[in-house]
Amino acid sequence: MADLANIDLAMVIEEKKLRALLEDRIDDLKRTYADRKVALAVWFGKATKEWEQNLLVLYTGERANQIYRTQPDFLMRKSSPTIDATTVDDFADFLVSDRQRLEPYFQSSEVLYCDKELLSEPILRAFNVRAEPSGLMKGWYVRAHEYEDTKAPKLRNLLARWSPVRPDIGLVKVEESQDFEHCRGLLHMEFSFGAGPRWLPLSLGALSPYSFYDDWVKGRPGYFLFRGGSLYQIQKFEEKTAPEYSSQVLEPLRDDRYPEVYLRAVHLPEQSAF
């Protein structure tokens, strides 16, 4: 646990206030660019003790080969940052032709808003914008009565029912048996923040509202169906302190305590057809 004596609470509060003000300014810009779309907003050169703050804003539109700077309105002080703005395509070109010019935007920076659909992969990589951890499997929770009520061919019908639905559960495997019958993994959910939706790990305390955990606690069988046709039955949950898992998730959990879910593969007769 972090030593509270070493945390500058005043600075933490100040940074939160600044972030909220900048996010309000970004919302204003979204309305200002009525004929365009804000694709990315980056708080760069962060200095919480300074009045003047800096935003980089990328928006859709035709190339102008320019980065436009809007100076702050000092009457508004913190709510009016210096804004550097350019198009997505221009920034992508500068990444290739004049990367050194862009270096200030990567110093002490934080992505406050991101529409990944409007950005190229090089820009996402440049700002380390990741929506999901490596190896993430996406799927759905299937309750016992849904599994039992599904008629043969069961797997095909389960996929037909759930595939049109947006995945609501993610799994990063941390161990798998040699025969692929059993595995352990870290459960993830998709959360939406200013920087866009991200798949983040669930803590043990966060599991209780979900039906898959409630069913397990009450002794009811439950299943995870993943894209591609992998089907697993939930065996148990177990919390483990594992600092090494921090490299397998986008945001490590507090105290490195992760709930692992134990799963057993369910093989259905028609599975070989997929």
Side-chain angles (χ1 to χ4, degrees), residues 202-256:
L202 292 173
S203 65
L204 185 63
L207 295 180
S208 57
Y210 295 105
S211 55
F212 61 78
Y213 188 73
D214 183 63
D215 285 345
W216 174 76
V217 169
K218 294 178 180 177
R220 293 193 288 257
Y223 305 84
F224 286 137
L225 172 67
F226 295 103
R227 285 175 170 173
S230 297
L231 182 66
Y232 294 90
Q233 184 174 10
I234 298 171
Q235 301 296 291
K236 68 174 182 176
F237 293 88
E238 186 174 85
E239 189 177 46
K240 178 180 179 181
T241 301
E244 64 272 19
Y245 289 169
S246 63
S247 63
Q248 296 180 256
V249 298
L250 294 187
E251 291 186 11
L253 293 179
R254 184 180 179 183
D255 297 332
D256 293 319

Side-chain angles (χ1 to χ4, degrees), residues 128-138 170-174 185-186 188 198-201 245-251:
N128 195 30
V129 177
R130 297 177 60 202
E132 60 189 59
S134 299
L136 181 72
M137 300 169 60
K138 300 177 185 177
L171 180 78
V172 174
K173 290 183 180 179
V174 297
L186 308 178
H188 285 62
R198 306 177 73 205
W199 286 86
L200 301 177
Y245 289 169
S246 63
S247 63
Q248 296 180 256
V249 298
L250 294 187
E251 291 186 11

Side-chain angles (χ1 to χ4, degrees), residues 90-260:
D90 278 329
F91 195 87
D93 289 345
F94 296 147
L95 276 175
V96 176
S97 64
D98 195 1
R99 175 62 184 251
Q100 186 173 357
R101 176 186 184 183
L102 306 181
E103 284 305 314
Y105 303 126
F106 305 114
Q107 303 302 316
S108 300
S109 64
E110 177 183 345
V111 176
L112 297 183
Y113 175 80
C114 176
D115 186 336
K116 298 179 180 68
E117 297 299 320
L118 302 177
L119 298 169
S120 63
E121 187 61 32
I123 294 177
L124 293 174
R125 286 199 304 268
F127 287 102
N128 195 30
V129 177
R130 297 177 60 202
E132 60 189 59
S134 299
L136 181 72
M137 300 169 60
K138 300 177 185 177
W140 310 268
Y141 175 56
V142 180
R143 306 188 77 164
H145 68 87
E146 295 169 327
Y147 176 81
E148 296 297 337
D149 291 345
T150 301
K151 298 180 180 180
K154 191 178 289 285
L155 181 59
R156 182 178 300 174
N157 286 333
L158 283 171
L159 286 171
R161 176 178 179 179
W162 291 104
S163 293
V165 180
R166 187 180 182 87
D168 56 15
I169 194 72
L171 180 78
V172 174
K173 290 183 180 179
V174 297
E175 185 178 271
E176 188 166 38
S177 62
Q178 291 185 352
D179 58 7
F180 303 106
E181 291 296 311
H182 299 86
C183 69
R184 292 185 291 120
L186 308 178
L187 288 179
H188 285 62
M189 286 284 181
E190 188 177 36
F191 298 93
S192 293
F193 302 103
R198 306 177 73 205
W199 286 86
L200 301 177
L202 292 173
S203 65
L204 185 63
L207 295 180
S208 57
Y210 295 105
S211 55
F212 61 78
Y213 188 73
D214 183 63
D215 285 345
W216 174 76
V217 169
K218 294 178 180 177
R220 293 193 288 257
Y223 305 84
F224 286 137
L225 172 67
F226 295 103
R227 285 175 170 173
S230 297
L231 182 66
Y232 294 90
Q233 184 174 10
I234 298 171
Q235 301 296 291
K236 68 174 182 176
F237 293 88
E238 186 174 85
E239 189 177 46
K240 178 180 179 181
T241 301
E244 64 272 19
Y245 289 169
S246 63
S247 63
Q248 296 180 256
V249 298
L250 294 187
E251 291 186 11
L253 293 179
R254 184 180 179 183
D255 297 332
D256 293 319
R257 297 181 66 83
Y258 296 85
E260 296 179 338

Side-chain angles (χ1 to χ4, degrees), residues 15 56 154 195:
E15 182 170 329
L56 168 70
K154 191 178 289 285

Side-chain angles (χ1 to χ4, degrees), residues 14 17 19 23 37 47 49 51 108 135 147 158 181 184 209 216 219 242 273:
E14 183 67 12
K17 289 180 178 179
R19 185 180 291 105
E23 288 173 344
K37 292 183 178 180
K49 294 184 178 181
W51 284 112
S108 300
Y147 176 81
L158 283 171
E181 291 296 311
R184 292 185 291 120
W216 174 76

